[in-house]
Amino acid sequence: MADGNYCPTYRWGQTQTHVILTIDVNEECVESHNVTPEGKVTVSGDVPRKGKFELSLDLCGKIVAEEVSVQLLPRTMRLKLPKQGPGVKWKGLQKPGIAKPAQEKKDFDFYMHSDSDDSSEEEDSDEDDPTKQLDAKTRAQMEEIMRKQPPEAPKGRSLLFGPFPNPDEWDQLLLLFALFHIYMAPYTKVEESFNLQATHDVLFHREHLSLYDHHEFPGV
């Protein structure tokens, strides 16, 4: 929860022994911070052109407040919070029942794996995918239909072959320009250096053929 006109974005992750909280504010913008053993974290400051802020978090578990370390980096403030129960995986940053704000993000640089984590991820994916709620036969039929469904052509155009639609007038115009360029300059190289240098010589040296660049650099 943030009190004030502005709430900075913050990321959190965890290891076996610590919770890592990184707040996206510049070093000079932080005015004060406080951490209690009960897991109350408060960070306040003032961000230019955005206003004052006070970030207040009620952490999911207790921490060892006297061992908290703080890093003030050029663009972020990082709190390293020791868990009172090492090895315990926190399900969230704050206590259950506290709504997760939009500014809160996961920090996957600090991610603790566990067996319970795998099961919770499977539960979340089942909730997000409505097909998981169908029986196996219906789900298989839907997957088969999706595999057989042909690619859709752009609106008003039929498919030429595969996913490629029949060319329209703009495609034909682009092809015409490409063919015209090949006809007008069939020997143009990738660098176009010889043609550009010859054009330069004609414009600037004119009838003085001895000054033309190809005498010194005839190419291969």
Side-chain angles (χ1 to χ4, degrees), residues 55-203:
L55 180 63
S56 300
L57 301 173
D58 192 359
L59 301 183
C60 180
K62 295 183 178 181
I63 59 174
V64 185
E66 58 270 16
E67 296 181 9
V68 172
S69 62
V70 181
Q71 286 182 289
L72 290 175
L73 305 174
R75 296 182 180 177
T76 59
M77 173 186 182
R78 175 169 293 171
L79 299 173
K80 191 173 182 181
L81 311 169
K83 299 177 181 177
Q84 280 196 9
V88 177
K89 183 180 184 299
W90 289 16
K91 298 296 184 181
L93 178 62
Q94 300 194 74
K95 285 183 169 58
I98 299 178
K100 176 184 174 182
Q103 291 82 2
E104 181 179 312
K105 310 294 181 183
K106 274 288 190 71
D107 190 346
F108 291 100
D109 290 337
F110 305 97
Y111 191 73
M112 177 180 172
H113 295 277
S114 68
D115 295 338
S116 60
D117 180 49
D118 296 336
S119 61
S120 63
E121 285 183 355
E122 292 177 359
E123 293 173 359
D124 292 341
S125 62
D126 290 348
E127 294 177 357
D128 295 338
D129 188 359
T131 63
K132 296 293 184 180
Q133 302 174 7
L134 302 176
D135 59 88
K137 183 178 179 180
T138 305
R139 190 163 61 248
Q141 291 175 346
M142 291 183 61
E143 293 175 353
E144 183 67 21
I145 293 173
M146 293 177 66
R147 281 197 298 268
K148 291 182 178 179
Q149 186 176 5
E152 295 183 0
K155 188 175 181 180
R157 299 172 64 181
S158 59
L159 292 176
L160 180 63
F161 64 89
F164 301 102
N166 280 306
D168 60 7
E169 58 273 12
W170 292 105
D171 298 326
Q172 295 170 1
L173 184 62
L174 180 62
L175 178 61
L176 181 63
F177 272 118
L179 294 175
F180 177 75
H181 184 272
I182 294 173
Y183 175 76
M184 294 299 296
Y187 305 112
T188 302
K189 295 182 178 295
V190 175
E191 317 91 314
E192 300 185 358
S193 58
F194 296 111
N195 294 306
L196 290 176
Q197 187 61 47
T199 302
H200 171 273
D201 293 340
V202 170
L203 293 175

Side-chain angles (χ1 to χ4, degrees), residues 32-73:
S32 65
H33 63 274
N34 183 53
V35 181
T36 67
E38 292 75 21
K40 304 282 188 179
V41 177
T42 304
V43 180
S44 61
D46 190 355
V47 178
R49 296 186 299 276
K50 293 183 178 179
K52 292 183 175 293
F53 71 91
E54 182 174 320
L55 180 63
S56 300
L57 301 173
D58 192 359
L59 301 183
C60 180
K62 295 183 178 181
I63 59 174
V64 185
E66 58 270 16
E67 296 181 9
V68 172
S69 62
V70 181
Q71 286 182 289
L72 290 175
L73 305 174

